[in-house]
Amino acid sequence: MRDMIKLIIAGFTLVLMATLMVPQLSRADDSFYAGTVKASSWGVIKVNDETFKVEPQARVLLHVEEHGAIHEKRGRLSDVEPGVKVTLKLSSGVVTLIYVERYH
């Protein structure tokens, strides 16, 4: 039950952020892809069985649980390790934003 609540909160947070930041972060050709990191190196990330190019200026945001609430913090590409669950924001097929989910 607690995992389900966390998942619902995370989903709501992602949708809310995307909705509030539409002029800044979203365009018609944007899409999202979620899964588990299999490998990453400078400029490339493999999530599930898909490989994506990562924009050099791509941002990394950490979703972490603190005191029972999920917060967002700035992260680094070094935070994107194999086994970590992520949601990628793609613009024209290139990763521009990586949400690292640290509350599972």
Side-chain angles (χ1 to χ4, degrees):
M1 181 68 175
R2 186 168 187 212
D3 289 340
M4 180 63 108
I5 292 171
K6 288 180 186 179
L7 184 61
I8 291 169
I9 290 171
F12 177 77
T13 302
L14 183 60
V15 170
L16 180 61
M17 287 176 23
T19 303
L20 293 175
M21 299 177 160
V22 168
Q24 296 174 338
L25 297 178
S26 294
R27 299 187 311 230
D29 59 345
D30 288 349
S31 61
F32 291 88
Y33 186 86
T36 303
V37 175
K38 300 297 181 189
S40 66
S41 63
W42 189 252
V44 178
I45 186 171
K46 183 174 183 177
V47 176
N48 299 337
D49 292 324
E50 300 286 331
T51 302
F52 301 95
K53 180 180 177 189
V54 178
E55 185 177 87
Q57 299 84 13
R59 293 188 312 158
V60 177
L61 297 175
L62 306 177
H63 286 175
V64 296
E65 183 179 1
E66 293 178 350
H67 310 294
I70 297 177
H71 299 277
E72 187 174 278
K73 295 183 177 185
R74 285 184 184 225
R76 298 185 184 129
L77 286 174
S78 61
D79 294 314
V80 184
E81 303 169 329
V84 171
K85 295 194 182 298
V86 296
T87 299
L88 307 176
K89 179 180 172 227
L90 306 163
S91 292
S92 300
V94 178
V95 177
T96 58
L97 180 61
I98 302 171
Y99 293 101
V100 177
E101 302 166 10
R102 292 256 172 109
Y103 49 84
H104 293 283

